[in-house]
Amino acid sequence: MDVAIQTEGLSRNFGQFRAVKNVALSVEKGTFYGFLGPNGAGKSTTIKMLTGLLAPSEGSISVLGQDPSDPDQGLIMKRQIGVVPEDLALFDNLKAAEYLTFLGRMHSIPSDVLQGRIKELLVLLDLQKDADKLTVEYSHGMKKKLALAAAILPDPDLLFLDEPFEGVDAIASRTIRKLLIDFKDRGSTIFLTSHVLEIVERLCTHVGIIVNGELVEQTAIADLGSGGSLEQRFLEVVGTDLEAEAQLSWLGERDS
């Protein structure tokens, strides 16, 4: 098996709090991997370690054959990945094309190739009509689309996407889904976190579920079989009572 991401005993502590606990991920190259979990389960912390933004407290990581925590190997890895992080961290006082041009030059993309890619990305993600705006003026959804454009611009072998559909309208969501399918179909690997389980079930080939910092399940979507939807399986794994119905005591029938 040709592996894009492999971890063993991956853990991260923040003081006395253990946010990620002995995670053993295995993501084969060319897969669309959905990394799921409740809020605070450790998803974003894991992505930060995989992308070299955060050092692990314990364990080992291999991303495209490189160790992100090693300065030399980490630099090699970062040239081969694209990231849409939890915190978008765009340059507020640049226009979209200026921002993408800066990133393209950092990746040493030839000027003619770079300008062609920028034009296509801005049109595809419907950002060309706001070409004269600084990114500080963008809505959250527009910033999310620009971050995705930046991640895809260098044509990476591996994409890390932390909630890429959050704050994005239905039309843009459909465009992004098609873009990601095309990206995966050409042999690239995608590692996605999302709370929209319908999108994960539609797009992903494999899923991992993390709860309280522990990877409790890792499987192919196809292996869910006739056992129900991904949502049902997710709720079972995280320990939610499927029969329980949350309600507020004061939301009964109104007096006439």
Side-chain angles (χ1 to χ4, degrees):
M1 181 175 66
D2 202 359
V3 177
I5 302 170
Q6 187 87 48
T7 72
E8 294 292 340
L10 181 63
S11 302
R12 174 67 197 196
N13 304 327
F14 294 96
Q16 298 300 312
F17 176 61
R18 200 163 177 82
V20 176
K21 309 168 187 175
N22 300 313
V23 166
L25 281 169
S26 183
V27 180
E28 189 175 352
K29 286 185 178 179
T31 59
F32 201 138
Y33 191 98
F35 192 50
L36 310 178
N39 289 328
K43 301 185 299 298
S44 294
T45 299
T46 300
I47 284 186
K48 288 177 181 177
M49 289 190 286
L50 295 177
T51 56
L53 297 177
L54 194 63
S57 299
E58 299 171 14
S60 63
I61 308 174
S62 174
V63 176
L64 299 176
Q66 308 295 327
D67 179 358
S69 62
D70 179 272
D72 294 329
Q73 292 186 45
L75 183 59
I76 294 171
M77 179 208 71
K78 287 172 184 175
R79 289 173 177 156
Q80 302 176 72
I81 68 172
V83 184
V84 176
E86 178 185 28
D87 303 315
L88 297 177
L90 303 174
F91 291 171
D92 287 344
N93 293 318
L94 292 179
K95 299 174 184 178
E98 293 172 338
Y99 175 64
L100 295 176
T101 297
F102 168 75
L103 292 179
R105 289 175 178 171
M106 292 287 289
H107 282 276
S108 300
I109 302 173
S111 180
D112 56 336
V113 174
L114 175 60
Q115 295 309 312
R117 289 184 185 178
I118 290 173
K119 182 178 180 179
E120 287 188 49
L121 282 166
L122 294 182
V123 170
L124 180 66
L125 295 171
D126 196 29
L127 292 171
Q128 79 284 1
K129 65 179 182 297
D130 297 297
D132 292 329
K133 287 185 178 180
L134 299 177
T135 58
V136 71
E137 302 175 72
Y138 278 14
S139 68
H140 180 73
M142 291 167 65
K143 289 181 178 180
K144 188 74 78 168
K145 290 191 289 184
L146 180 56
L148 179 60
I152 290 175
L153 180 67
D155 193 18
D157 296 319
L158 171 59
L159 266 179
F160 288 96
L161 307 175
D162 197 347
E163 296 290 347
F165 298 98
E166 182 188 26
V168 175
D169 63 53
I171 296 173
S173 178
R174 180 177 178 180
T175 299
I176 292 170
R177 291 199 307 269
K178 176 64 167 60
L179 175 60
L180 296 180
I181 290 170
D182 290 345
F183 190 83
K184 184 264 177 188
D185 285 347
R186 65 196 294 275
S188 300
T189 308
I190 301 175
F191 190 91
L192 163 79
T193 74
S194 177
H195 290 296
V196 187
L197 297 184
E198 294 86 353
I199 289 179
V200 173
E201 191 165 19
R202 185 184 306 177
L203 294 178
C204 293
T205 57
H206 296 72
V207 293
I209 302 176
I210 186 171
V211 181
N212 295 325
E214 298 183 39
L215 187 68
V216 295
E217 179 144 341
Q218 189 167 213
T219 187
I221 289 286
D223 290 342
L224 292 174
S226 58
S229 68
L230 176 60
E231 180 182 32
Q232 289 175 311
R233 183 57 185 156
F234 176 81
L235 294 175
E236 291 170 359
V237 168
V238 302
T240 299
D241 183 357
L242 298 179
E243 300 301 322
E245 294 185 1
Q247 63 181 25
L248 296 173
S249 61
W250 48 271
L251 288 182
E253 292 185 7
R254 290 182 183 273
D255 295 332
S256 58

